[in-house]
Amino acid sequence: MNDEVRPASRDLEGEHVLRFAQGREARSDEMDAWLAGLLGDVEGAALVAVGGYGRRQLSPGSDLDVVLLHDGSRDAAAIAELADSIWYPIWDAKVKLDHSVRTVAEARSVAQEDLAVVLGLLTARHVAGAAELTEALRSLVLADWRKQAPRRLPELKALREERRERHGELAYLLEGDLKECAGGLRDADSLRAIAASWIADVPHGAPEAAQGFLLDVRWVLHTRTGRAADRILLQEQDELAAELEFESADELMRAVSDAARTIDYACDVAWRRVDQALATRNRSSGISGLLRRGGNSAPPREPLADGVVKAEGEAALALAADPNDPVLPLRIASAAARAGLPISPASLERLAASPAVLPEPWPEPARAELLRLLGAGPGLIPVWEALDRTGLLVRLLPEWERIRSLPQRNALHVHTVDRHIVQTVVHAAERTRRVDRADLLLAAALCHDLGKGLPGDHCQTGADIVAKLGVRLGFPAHDVATLIALTRHHLLFAELAVHRDPTDPATLAPLLAAAGESGTGPGDFVVLLHLLTEADSQATGPAVWSTWRASLYRELGLRAQAVLAGEDQPSTQTAGHEEADQTLAGQAAIAPDGIAVQAVAPGSAGIGRIDVAIPDQVGALALVAGVLTLRHVRVLAAELSSAKAGAATYAVQRWTVAAEYGELPDLVRLRTDLRGARAGTLKIAERLATRDQERAGQRRQRPATPPATVRLLPSASETATVLEVRAEDTPGLLHRIGAAIAGTGADIERARIATLGPQAVDVFYLTFGVGSETAVGSAAAEELVAEVRAALN
């Protein structure tokens, strides 16, 4: 069984591991001795350690889970007095206590109804007093558990899925909970419960070592923080890594991820065995079912592919399959993923033991099976993990070893690098109907982030890796060129769509230049890069994927295709915006205060869009942004344009916003504030400064953030000076930037405002008075950058 689950990559038998394990045992021994002294020499009573204390896994912040058992010979008052003599000293010592007082029969009865109670009692350990009471309870609870396992195990499995849904997967989170996340300590404990049921065996060896490592991390976390919390916060990881003798926080989190994956995969295997065992019992219990199958309780084996069958709810090697066929691992993987089945652990063992290696370059059948696997959709994820856990994946793709469990210290990402790549492939598979070369889209999704974790720009480093990998996989030279270009430029499409003005001819120039590097036609390359960008963004997380982003990608793609086709047409979206802008400007023109405000398609959870038309003047953006901040509105994105109404020009601003508290502000009140700000009666800068002072203490307690970057972007526009600001998203940020720009006399002609998680990336298209020199490197340009940077500091 030991070789079914790949062990964690770090050596889990070092001296520091022994030290922490001894610490847990010593703490348990200390508590045992203390409790024994508190109980004293009494008859007919016992103290029993349950849960983590019963398993001798006490961390510094752990609760003491204790049951006071008694034989029922004392009256209620005497038992209460005995219990108080034990519990009160524990409370006085400020030790957290989870306690109960029961007879053996009462404890047994509660265990039969409460899953949490029975799980704790399965590892009950005698501490002091009448040992026969503890032994009686253990025997009865274990017997009941085994008898009721067909009913209780599905309940335990459901709890596992609830935890996964609520807390996520420890292996892929930047700040995961060691105990509650999938792959965490609760999952490791559930393996003991499955084994105790005698329904099915569980994998051994690596899962226990992985659990021990997570317990070590938990011990140090409690010790260093002085708290009982089990979430590994970002600001604590450096100290944890040093104490646990890792070279860096990244190495620590890779080990945590690998341990969690080991436990999670072991649970997958164990629960499949449970399901199979229970299904066999159900089939065997029906005499008529046995008669229909001629006395054979095994379900039929259904063919899935050459050498692959479906058996017992798993994809397995057929009896006649040749395990030395080098394409067979890919064939069974693609068949399993497309059928939504796990791969049989026994089949994985046979394949892992085979010496067969694919020739280089790969033959066409191997590449075809890989692409079928990549195109399987969500079924890819568990199959890919199974290949990785058993060492088959690295045999096929050695590049995977380096990025396995590699953390991404970026709040935008919700997954480690390897899982992010797999998620990108899954989302790319959803888009294969929208492209002629689905194979290149899937392969590019697999390759796009292989350069992460190496020195230098991961896009270029990844392109160098793909240049060799593409040849090894057997792609023709022109397709390899396309994969290289897609990898090198996989961030370009999002950068241009979100942070540049699509109507500016200079925006398309980098995209068209990248298309020229491709081995496919420019139009095909644009479509491939567009869809790869969508899949990549969706896999990154909700901070960078939304319907708004999708519309920006679509806008850029339509314009690029129009230029490539020799057309000169605005997109439908731009045309619609121009018409809406004109309408709103017309409303402002007839309003007494020259202001129009409207909500457009308000969203749920306090997210929506607010459009504002206001007389176009220097500082208009800073004014509106300041009012929104005062009304506790957080800016997620903004687009600026202008429209004429009569003889006047109006700044039209489309704001995608979220309420900091409750709901978005009333539009009438918002308009009143805008009127006061224009008239000077609402002092925005003073109000924001007061709020900043109130929040100063809170900001000092937050982890340090990188300094803001302010720079001019040469060649980003043919008609304007383009300024880019990247900074932590804080209240009033956009107001400060806008006011600083206005102070230099520049007019914000257009802007692309985007909030990506905790970071704001704002791009401003600026114009100056006639004859002003604002080229990059000029004195005026340097002054502009300096003013904005000073405002941010």
Side-chain angles (χ1 to χ4, degrees):
M1 302 297 176
N2 295 353
D3 55 354
E4 289 185 353
V5 182
R6 184 181 179 278
S9 57
R10 181 175 168 85
D11 177 17
L12 299 180
E13 303 298 334
E15 291 183 2
H16 73 289
V17 174
L18 183 61
R19 172 162 55 94
F20 297 130
Q22 290 175 338
R24 290 191 292 274
E25 293 180 2
R27 181 169 174 78
S28 297
D29 291 342
E30 178 186 354
M31 294 297 105
D32 287 357
W34 184 33
L35 291 177
L38 293 175
L39 179 63
D41 187 14
V42 299
E43 295 182 358
L47 285 176
V48 182
V50 299
Y53 181 27
R55 296 186 296 271
R56 300 172 64 82
Q57 294 175 349
L58 284 182
S59 293
S62 297
D63 293 356
L64 278 184
D65 292 341
V66 183
V67 178
L68 173 59
L69 282 180
H70 64 97
D71 60 7
S73 62
R74 292 175 174 81
D75 60 25
I79 284 296
E81 182 180 356
L82 176 61
D84 288 347
S85 70
I86 300 169
W87 306 150
Y88 274 97
I90 297 175
W91 290 327
D92 291 342
K94 308 300 182 185
V95 175
K96 290 184 292 184
L97 176 67
D98 189 349
H99 65 287
S100 61
V101 181
R102 295 186 176 110
T103 64
V104 171
E106 289 169 345
R108 180 189 186 188
S109 177
V110 174
Q112 289 177 334
E113 300 300 327
D114 191 318
L115 187 59
V117 170
V118 71
L119 292 176
L121 289 175
L122 287 176
T123 54
R125 181 174 56 82
H126 182 70
V127 174
E132 64 273 13
L133 291 178
T134 304
E135 186 56 36
L137 177 61
R138 281 178 49 83
S139 298
L140 289 170
V141 168
L142 280 170
D144 290 342
W145 176 250
R146 288 161 186 160
K147 181 180 179 180
Q148 299 171 359
R151 174 174 65 86
R152 308 305 296 272
L153 286 177
E155 296 176 24
L156 182 58
K157 184 180 180 182
L159 284 180
R160 179 194 184 210
E161 296 310 315
E162 289 176 12
R163 287 198 307 274
R164 183 185 299 274
E165 183 68 25
R166 183 179 300 117
H167 299 284
E169 297 172 279
L170 178 60
Y172 309 115
L173 294 175
L174 185 58
E175 296 183 325
D177 189 299
L178 292 167
K179 189 173 183 180
E180 301 293 345
C181 284
L185 294 171
R186 286 204 187 277
D187 271 359
D189 293 338
S190 71
L191 292 172
R192 293 172 179 260
I194 295 172
S197 73
W198 289 359
I199 289 287
D201 196 8
V202 301
H204 297 290
E208 286 92 346
Q211 181 185 24
F213 172 68
L214 294 186
L215 287 169
D216 293 344
V217 178
R218 188 175 189 236
W219 176 280
V220 176
L221 181 62
H222 287 189
T223 303
R224 301 289 295 186
T225 64
R227 295 181 288 106
D230 296 321
R231 186 170 296 281
I232 314 177
L233 298 179
L234 185 63
Q235 62 264 31
E236 296 163 354
Q237 291 173 12
D238 287 327
E239 290 186 355
L240 291 178
E243 180 70 19
L244 287 159
E245 301 177 9
F246 285 88
E247 293 183 359
S248 67
D250 277 0
E251 288 302 310
L252 165 65
M253 296 310 294
R254 288 188 81 157
V256 169
S257 174
D258 207 56
R261 291 170 71 173
T262 297
I263 293 170
D264 201 26
Y265 183 67
C267 286
D268 286 342
V269 172
W271 282 117
R272 286 208 304 276
R273 289 175 177 167
V274 169
D275 291 342
Q276 291 165 355
L278 294 180
T280 299
R281 285 192 175 195
N282 291 335
R283 287 194 302 269
S284 300
S285 64
I287 298 299
S288 59
L290 281 172
L291 292 175
R292 282 196 302 271
R293 289 187 294 270
N296 182 9
S297 64
R301 297 164 70 90
E302 303 172 15
L304 294 176
D306 182 20
V308 182
V309 297
K310 176 182 177 181
E312 295 285 343
E314 297 175 333
L317 295 181
L319 296 177
D322 178 10
N324 292 321
D325 176 1
V327 182
L328 189 55
L330 288 167
R331 192 181 306 126
I332 191 173
S334 66
R338 285 181 285 122
L341 298 172
I343 303 178
S344 158
S347 297
L348 289 169
E349 288 180 25
R350 288 182 63 194
L351 292 170
S354 169
V357 178
L358 281 167
E360 297 182 10
W362 284 14
E364 193 280 331
R367 188 172 68 257
E369 291 295 350
L370 173 65
L371 293 169
R372 290 191 187 98
L373 172 61
L374 298 179
L380 167 70
I381 297 174
V383 169
W384 195 268
E385 180 71 5
L387 294 177
D388 196 11
R389 291 290 91 189
T390 49
L392 288 166
L393 183 57
V394 171
R395 182 187 299 179
L396 295 166
L397 297 172
E399 295 82 1
W400 203 258
E401 181 73 43
R402 187 182 50 76
I403 63 166
R404 179 190 295 111
S405 301
L406 182 64
Q408 305 197 74
R409 299 198 166 273
N410 181 328
L412 304 181
H413 280 274
V414 297
H415 293 130
T416 52
V417 174
D418 53 342
R419 181 59 179 270
H420 166 73
I421 289 177
V422 176
Q423 291 289 156
T424 303
V425 173
V426 170
H427 292 308
E430 299 167 0
R431 294 164 167 82
T432 52
R433 302 280 185 178
R434 295 164 54 187
V435 64
D436 291 336
R437 292 298 306 274
D439 58 335
L440 292 180
L441 176 61
L442 294 170
L446 176 65
C447 295
H448 78 286
D449 269 351
L450 290 178
K452 283 191 172 178
L454 293 172
D457 178 6
H458 82 275
C459 297
Q460 182 56 54
T461 304
D464 295 339
I465 294 172
V466 172
K468 299 177 181 178
L469 176 60
V471 173
R472 194 172 81 243
L473 295 181
F475 283 100
H478 58 277
D479 287 346
V480 173
T482 300
L483 292 174
I484 293 171
L486 288 169
T487 303
R488 179 181 292 121
H489 300 292
H490 74 267
L491 299 181
L492 176 64
F493 200 95
E495 178 71 20
L496 298 177
V498 177
H499 304 305
R500 302 289 184 273
D501 179 7
T503 65
D504 195 309
T507 297
L508 289 178
L511 179 59
L512 300 181
E517 301 175 15
S518 170
T520 63
D524 291 337
F525 177 81
V526 169
V527 174
L528 285 167
L529 188 58
H530 176 185
L531 298 181
L532 174 61
T533 303
E534 284 190 353
D536 188 15
S537 299
Q538 192 172 356
T540 298
V544 295
W545 179 245
S546 62
T547 55
W548 169 73
R549 269 217 170 207
S551 69
L552 297 182
Y553 294 165
R554 186 165 54 251
E555 171 81 359
L556 182 65
L558 288 171
R559 287 189 169 275
Q561 294 291 356
V563 170
L564 290 171
E567 302 170 358
D568 187 17
Q569 299 178 9
S571 72
T572 302
Q573 178 180 332
T574 300
H577 278 173
E578 290 176 352
E579 183 178 347
D581 291 353
Q582 196 65 50
T583 300
L584 195 62
Q587 294 173 6
I590 61 177
D593 54 11
I595 300 172
V597 182
Q598 69 178 13
V600 179
S604 60
I607 298 177
R609 202 183 95 195
I610 296 175
D611 290 359
V612 176
I614 193 169
D616 194 10
Q617 62 187 48
V618 172
L621 178 137
L623 185 148
V624 178
V627 168
L628 291 174
T629 301
L630 288 178
R631 288 294 158 222
H632 299 286
V633 173
R634 179 167 171 252
V635 176
L636 303 179
E639 297 177 68
L640 274 62
S641 58
S642 60
K644 281 190 171 294
T649 301
Y650 291 85
V652 180
Q653 304 171 359
R654 295 181 291 275
W655 301 86
T656 301
V657 295
E660 286 186 8
Y661 315 105
E663 300 179 351
L664 293 174
D666 178 74
L667 295 186
V668 174
R669 188 171 183 178
L670 189 61
R671 179 172 171 173
T672 300
D673 288 345
L674 290 171
R675 186 187 308 123
R678 285 200 70 216
T681 56
L682 178 62
K683 306 295 185 182
I684 296 177
E686 294 178 9
R687 293 276 297 275
L688 289 177
T690 300
R691 183 182 296 181
D692 281 347
Q693 291 174 0
E694 294 172 352
R695 296 186 178 186
Q698 180 182 358
R699 281 202 300 272
R700 281 195 297 269
Q701 295 171 8
R702 289 204 302 263
T705 57
T709 61
V710 183
R711 60 175 183 147
L712 295 175
L713 303 179
S715 306
S717 173
E718 296 181 355
T719 60
T721 299
V722 182
L723 178 76
E724 178 192 77
V725 179
R726 295 176 181 260
E728 181 188 7
D729 181 36
T730 55
L733 173 69
L734 194 54
H735 170 76
R736 294 196 298 275
I737 297 172
I741 292 174
T744 66
D747 184 31
I748 302 175
E749 184 179 88
R750 291 159 286 157
R752 307 284 280 189
I753 310 300
T755 302
L756 306 177
Q759 178 175 262
V761 183
D762 302 338
V763 177
F764 305 90
Y765 287 72
L766 310 176
T767 56
F768 295 77
V770 177
S772 297
E773 176 56 52
T774 56
V776 176
S778 68
E782 295 300 326
E783 179 187 356
L784 171 67
V785 170
E787 288 293 327
V788 174
R789 188 175 288 127
L792 296 179
N793 293 330

